[in-house]
Amino acid sequence: MIILAFFLAHWYLSVLMQTLFLHRYAAHQMFTMSKGWEKVFYVLTFIGQGSSFLSPRAYGIMHRLHHAHADTDQDPHSPEFSKNLFDMMWKTRIYYNDILNNRDTIPAKFKKGVPNWPWMERFGDRWPVRLAWGTAYTLIYIQFATSPWLFLLLPVQFLMGPVHGAIINWYAHRYGYTNFKLDDTAKNLLPFDFLMMGESYHNNHHKYGGRANFGGFRWHEFDPAYPLLKVLNGLKIIKLRTGRDEAYM
């Protein structure tokens, strides 16, 4: 029971930081925050994602490319131009590492305003740090696992960030329903998003790329991250932008 609680806590904290900070803030700038709070969110993302920490800067740039070139050969992660899920994720990894290490030739307009804390970006990406997180997870399993099958969850915990990305970038372009006709294959993967904190309303998001609430177009579409944004806005930790229903680019 302890291991399952640990796994679920890691799952939801990781996806929460990915949707709030990497996606809605770094990529789409749906809200603003001070540089001080930005560093707090960097640290929370590092803690939440742990061994699979993703650079907010690289994620933001890459995701903007996805919206600008969805389901074309310039999309960093399109199922339409990949043989299978693993081929898509490998291509995504190459894009991500090129951006992270400044080897890309991406136009400057995609890089405007993305957060960048170079020290944390380097620290979170170091292999000794990733291995330290992985070791900590493993020790928790050794201490508390009550059955050998629970250890099958460990690889998912090691790669939590990419797993979340794969669910949306592959499955939400393959399966689900649509509220809006688009020029790409984005779909709403789940009628009620209990798994991905609103991220699975992918068709809604591709239609209105600047809208902070990913759900709300049908009675069952509830975006769990949006009320939290409203609370953070009320506390003046962030400032939600208004009138941003348009796509990013």
Side-chain angles (χ1 to χ4, degrees):
M1 200 66 182
I2 292 175
I3 291 299
L4 291 178
F6 174 60
F7 180 86
L8 289 173
H10 186 196
W11 177 279
Y12 283 107
L13 182 58
S14 178
V15 77
L16 179 65
M17 297 317 301
Q18 186 162 328
T19 190
L20 289 186
F21 190 54
L22 277 67
H23 190 185
R24 305 186 202 212
Y25 179 72
H28 291 285
Q29 299 180 333
M30 296 173 180
F31 53 90
T32 60
M33 67 174 76
S34 69
K35 290 299 180 183
W37 277 113
E38 191 176 277
K39 289 189 174 183
V40 169
F41 274 81
Y42 254 101
V43 173
L44 291 174
T45 301
F46 173 67
I47 294 170
Q49 293 189 320
S51 59
S52 64
F53 173 76
L54 296 172
S55 155
R57 174 181 169 273
Y59 181 102
I61 294 169
M62 189 167 64
H63 188 73
R64 292 175 182 185
L65 279 174
H66 170 63
H67 273 264
H69 304 295
D71 287 325
T72 71
D73 59 357
Q74 297 181 65
D75 186 342
H77 40 67
S78 172
E80 296 298 297
F81 288 85
S82 300
K83 298 174 184 177
N84 51 54
L85 172 62
F86 299 102
D87 178 55
M88 184 193 75
M89 293 308 293
W90 185 257
K91 290 177 182 177
T92 303
R93 179 180 179 274
I94 293 171
Y95 261 99
Y96 174 86
N97 283 331
D98 283 347
I99 297 170
L100 186 68
N101 295 293
N102 298 306
R103 297 191 299 258
D104 65 272
T105 57
I106 297 168
K109 67 178 182 177
F110 292 103
K111 302 177 180 180
K112 184 179 178 181
V114 290
N116 187 20
W117 185 7
W119 182 86
M120 181 56 82
E121 298 254 344
R122 289 193 301 269
F123 182 74
D125 190 58
R126 293 183 63 194
W127 276 108
V129 175
R130 295 192 188 278
L131 289 173
W133 277 112
T135 300
Y137 302 156
T138 303
L139 290 174
I140 291 172
Y141 273 68
I142 291 171
Q143 179 67 32
F144 296 107
T146 56
S147 176
W149 75 265
L150 290 169
F151 284 86
L152 296 175
L153 297 174
L154 261 178
V156 179
Q157 294 212 240
F158 294 154
L159 299 170
M160 192 71 81
V163 166
H164 291 152
I167 289 172
I168 300 304
N169 295 324
W170 181 267
Y171 293 102
H173 279 265
R174 289 294 194 196
Y175 309 105
Y177 68 94
T178 59
N179 286 332
F180 304 102
K181 184 175 176 59
L182 304 173
D183 292 331
D184 58 63
T185 60
K187 297 176 175 59
N188 293 334
L189 183 62
L190 299 172
F192 177 71
D193 191 1
F194 65 95
L195 190 65
M196 299 299 296
M197 301 294 287
E199 288 288 315
S200 73
Y201 298 133
H202 206 48
N203 176 258
N204 296 352
H205 173 57
H206 269 242
K207 175 64 176 179
Y208 297 109
R211 188 174 187 265
N213 184 358
F214 290 178
F217 292 98
R218 296 195 187 191
W219 68 268
H220 53 76
E221 293 179 353
F222 174 66
D223 175 0
Y226 184 63
L228 179 56
L229 287 178
K230 297 286 284 185
V231 170
L232 293 173
N233 184 71
L235 294 173
K236 301 188 184 304
I237 293 173
I238 68 170
K239 184 176 181 180
L240 282 166
R241 296 174 183 256
T242 58
R244 302 200 71 234
D245 282 356
E246 72 280 0
Y248 176 73
M249 287 289 182

